[in-house]
Every structure is written in C-alpha cells, then in structure tokens.
Amino acid sequence: MINRQMTSGKHMTPFSDVRRDHSPAVRLGHDAVSAVKLSQELTAEIDAWAEAHQMTRSDAIGQLLTIGLHASRPAATGQPTSRDPVAIEQNAIRLIDRMLDPSLSAEERERRIRRLIEGPAEFANERIDLPRHPG
C-alpha cells in the first residue's frame, strides 16, 4: 500500500483523487508524475541530451517523448490513404511531377513519369498489379 502522507505531514494525494484502477487522478493545474524503467545506457544518453540542451533529466524526457510522438504521427497532407490503385497511381504521378525539372517539355515530363510508373519493360512479367497474359 502506498503511504499517502509525506513525512513532513503534508497531504500528497488524498484517496478521493485515486481512480478505481489505483492510478492517481491528474488534478487540474498539475502535471502527472510517471515512473519509467530505463537502462543505464538510455539514461546516460538522455542525460547527455539534457546537458546539451541545458535542462533537467525530467524535462529532457518530456521533450524527447513529445518529439517522438509528433514524429510518429502521419502528416495530414490530404493525400489518399486508401488502397485504391488509381488513387495511389495519381498520387505517385503528382509526386514525381513535382520532382521533375520544370524546364523539361511536357512531352518529356510525360515520358519520364510513364517510365517511372510503369517501370522497365523487362520487369513487366514480374508486376503483380498487372493482369497476366498467357504467352
């Protein structure tokens, strides 16, 4: 059982602030405190990062978690996320077109896009997205 009283006599977390799952409720205006188990190597890396950014280990862990969580979120770019082959191909064409040299003629741009989308002729038999022709 966790002692809810600090040795100085101050009341830390009253039982009314404990949820049924026994995790402390986050009180308005207070940040949650969490304990995590870290290897010595990871702790050393975090401490080095914290020192380089002139912050405490606690603040560094919070910053690194925020960076990691934001980095793992898919970007909301309006691009199709479906498995629709036509939508995927259109998206690929749009992305390739943005990467091509703008000084190319429209005909050359189209040729290069088709070549990238369709791939080399020698691999046509290997493509799984095209119907098989007996031959």
Side-chain angles (χ1 to χ4, degrees):
M1 183 86 183
I2 298 174
N3 184 0
R4 301 274 181 225
Q5 298 284 333
M6 291 177 64
T7 55
S8 65
K10 290 185 179 179
H11 203 35
M12 262 183 74
T13 308
F15 283 102
S16 62
D17 283 345
V18 177
R19 297 182 186 149
R20 286 182 184 227
D21 66 353
H22 303 291
S23 64
V26 177
R27 295 186 312 256
L28 196 58
H30 293 83
D31 290 335
V33 176
S34 300
V36 289
K37 192 180 220 182
L38 303 171
S39 68
Q40 289 179 346
E41 294 83 14
L42 184 56
T43 302
E45 288 184 52
I46 292 170
D47 287 344
W49 193 90
E51 187 175 327
H53 291 84
Q54 299 175 348
M55 61 177 63
T56 64
R57 179 189 292 165
S58 177
D59 291 338
I61 291 170
Q63 285 287 321
L64 290 167
L65 285 172
T66 300
I67 291 167
L69 289 171
H70 288 284
S72 66
R73 289 186 185 146
T77 59
Q79 297 175 358
T81 57
S82 70
R83 296 179 80 70
D84 175 29
V86 174
I88 292 171
E89 183 175 338
Q90 291 301 318
N91 189 36
I93 290 170
R94 188 178 52 78
L95 292 172
I96 292 168
D97 191 49
R98 286 193 344 206
M99 290 188 276
L100 288 174
D101 182 1
S103 65
L104 292 173
S105 68
E107 191 174 287
E108 178 63 14
R109 293 175 73 81
E110 179 65 25
R111 188 191 69 74
R112 290 184 183 192
I113 289 171
R114 281 292 129 218
R115 173 84 169 140
L116 289 169
I117 295 296
E118 293 173 5
E122 54 268 21
F123 294 113
N125 292 336
E126 302 299 322
R127 291 192 47 179
I128 60 171
D129 62 328
L130 296 176
R132 298 257 179 212
H133 297 291

